[in-house]
Amino acid sequence: MGGAFLAAAVLARLGGRIGLPTIPLFILAGILLGPHTPGYTLLSNPHDLEMLSALGLVLLLFYLGLEFHLDDLKTGGRKMAIAGGTYLVLNVGAGLGFGFALGWGTSEALVLAGVLGISSSAIVTKILVDLKRIGNPETRPILGIIVVEDVFLALYLAALQPILSGADSLSAMLVDGGKAFGFLLLLALAARFGTKIIGKLMNTKDDELLVISFLGAAVFVAGISEMFGVADAIGAFMVGLMLGSTASGERILKLVHPLRDAFGAIFFFAFGLSIDPGDLPSVFWPVVAAVVLTLAMNVAAGLAASRVYDFGTQATANIATTLVARGEFALILATMAAAAGLDKRLSPFIAGYVLLLAVLAPLAAGRSHWLARILPGPRGGKDGGGDGGGGGGKDGDKDQQQVPVSV
């Protein structure tokens, strides 16, 4: 574990000197020191970091929930649903069509629909933090789309599991989906009506007790969520949503930072350990085609979201480039596909696709102003920051001032 932390830190420091984002460098460290790459192997079994990696994902989504306040859900629910629904229709639909075009099979096409259709919550969160865009106006729609995707994710996994396992019982499928939806509804009701009670339970002046309390709550609910067929990270997100509206919300936001950064790095490092570079050449062209399709669909989704929220071209470009990353959900689907004995080309395809977008997404998001120059639409309107630092000019400065001190 110490070697993993140090390797990620060294590569990130070297890359930072030439302006590279940290996410692909953490992943690269995992690839170079993993069991599939010639040379020194730090970890022969990637599962040795499985619990730490899961904790990193939980903390990243917990932080995202802290930033996404309940007021945003109350006031922007309709717009959020439209923007998120449009994103899913475009990207999941394109992924399903791409899967059938490859001709690998119906089950494989359903897997690819999810792989190409769902953004990486972890990478999107990291990009927003690294580029200091948490306070930008377009960040709320981005987080809203992530929430809609996460709800869809839970239902999609529940529906896909019996298909991949060969179960032909519609009743079993409905029961699994009902359990997942019911638990999500329970968490949503707790976030809506239980904030005062939760706030009293969490309230303490002692930082040590507060850290133990919110960390325990996030991890415990994440584990319970998984038992009900809901992704563990979604449970952590809902806990963050609850705690962010309490009197301790600002303190929790500050205290969770070092934990989020440390274990988030392990999440991306562990992702790199699972990638076998030797399998990538066999699926090179399908990966390239999928990446091009994803980029195109994200630009279309960005334009649609900006029309809903009346944004200008810079905010449109920020939405399109930030959401393009794919990650943890794709890896979950790859594991499910392998366990179900589906086409062996799926695993290297998903690994290459996710790795390429994990590298491209932070780079594209930091240079979104290039895309903004060629996008159709008004140059005015409510707009976001234009560069990697969170904005330029008066609007950019205003957005930058809205970023919490802890960020």
Side-chain angles (χ1 to χ4, degrees), residues 38-129:
Y40 178 73
T41 299
L42 180 66
L43 284 168
S44 58
N45 186 4
H47 291 293
D48 289 342
L49 289 180
E50 189 171 11
M51 181 59 72
L52 294 175
S53 173
L55 183 58
L57 179 58
V58 163
L59 288 171
L60 282 167
L61 269 292
F62 174 71
Y63 175 83
L64 186 65
L66 288 171
E67 287 287 358
F68 198 92
H69 298 297
L70 281 172
D71 290 339
D72 299 315
L73 289 174
K74 296 174 187 175
T75 58
R78 181 176 175 274
K79 289 184 177 180
M80 181 181 74
I82 294 173
T86 302
Y87 188 91
L88 287 173
V89 168
L90 289 171
N91 286 272
V92 175
L96 185 63
F98 179 81
F100 281 120
L102 284 179
W104 291 354
T106 301
S107 295
E108 286 78 0
L110 291 172
V111 170
L112 289 172
V115 171
L116 271 66
I118 305 295
S119 305
S120 167
S121 300
I123 297 178
V124 168
T125 305
K126 191 71 165 59
I127 289 173
L128 291 173
V129 172

Side-chain angles (χ1 to χ4, degrees), residues 202 204 206-214 248 251-252 255:
M202 282 287 166
T204 175
D206 190 315
D207 284 349
E208 179 185 12
L209 293 179
L210 184 58
V211 169
I212 294 171
S213 298
F214 75 68
S248 304
R251 287 174 60 209
I252 294 174
L255 292 169

Side-chain angles (χ1 to χ4, degrees), residues 108-349:
E108 286 78 0
L110 291 172
V111 170
L112 289 172
V115 171
L116 271 66
I118 305 295
S119 305
S120 167
S121 300
I123 297 178
V124 168
T125 305
K126 191 71 165 59
I127 289 173
L128 291 173
V129 172
D130 286 352
L131 297 182
K132 298 181 175 65
R133 289 181 181 169
I134 293 293
N136 281 16
E138 76 278 1
T139 295
R140 297 307 174 195
I142 290 173
L143 298 183
I145 291 172
I146 289 294
V147 171
V148 173
E149 284 186 314
D150 285 345
V151 173
F152 173 81
L153 181 156
L155 300 176
Y156 189 76
L157 282 179
L160 191 62
Q161 182 62 51
I163 296 175
L164 295 184
S165 62
D168 54 1
S169 172
L170 179 61
S171 60
M173 187 186 306
L174 292 176
V175 168
D176 289 341
K179 284 168 57 180
F181 183 77
F183 187 72
L184 280 174
L185 182 61
L186 180 63
L187 291 178
L189 290 173
R192 175 65 179 86
F193 299 107
T195 304
K196 290 184 178 180
I197 297 175
I198 295 170
K200 290 180 180 178
L201 292 174
M202 282 287 166
N203 189 30
T204 175
K205 296 181 179 180
D206 190 315
D207 284 349
E208 179 185 12
L209 293 179
L210 184 58
V211 169
I212 294 171
S213 298
F214 75 68
L215 185 59
V219 176
F220 181 75
V221 174
I224 297 297
S225 298
E226 203 167 47
M227 293 173 60
F228 280 89
V230 177
D232 51 4
I234 299 177
F237 172 85
M238 296 302 293
V239 174
L241 193 66
M242 299 175 202
L243 298 184
S245 300
T246 66
S248 304
E250 289 297 324
R251 287 174 60 209
I252 294 174
L253 193 68
K254 180 179 179 181
L255 292 169
V256 77
H257 267 257
L259 294 170
R260 180 209 67 192
D261 292 340
F263 290 101
I266 291 295
F267 169 78
F268 296 112
F269 180 87
F271 171 39
L273 290 176
S274 67
I275 296 176
D276 185 351
D279 291 337
L280 301 181
S282 63
V283 290
F284 176 77
W285 290 113
V287 166
V288 171
V291 167
V292 171
L293 178 63
T294 300
L295 293 173
M297 288 300 101
N298 271 264
V299 171
L303 289 169
S306 293
R307 179 177 287 270
V308 172
Y309 285 91
D310 190 28
F311 285 146
T313 53
Q314 182 57 58
T316 302
N318 287 351
I319 294 172
T321 54
T322 303
L323 288 169
V324 78
R326 301 294 187 265
E328 61 278 3
F329 179 52
L331 297 180
I332 293 171
L333 285 173
T335 303
M336 292 172 60
L342 300 187
D343 196 303
K344 293 183 179 180
R345 291 171 290 186
L346 270 179
S347 291
F349 169 85

Side-chain angles (χ1 to χ4, degrees), residues 366-387:
R367 294 158 181 80
S368 59
H369 54 283
W370 294 354
L371 175 61
R373 294 172 185 169
I374 61 174
L375 285 176
R379 301 295 166 183
K382 295 180 290 182
D383 226 334
D387 55 21

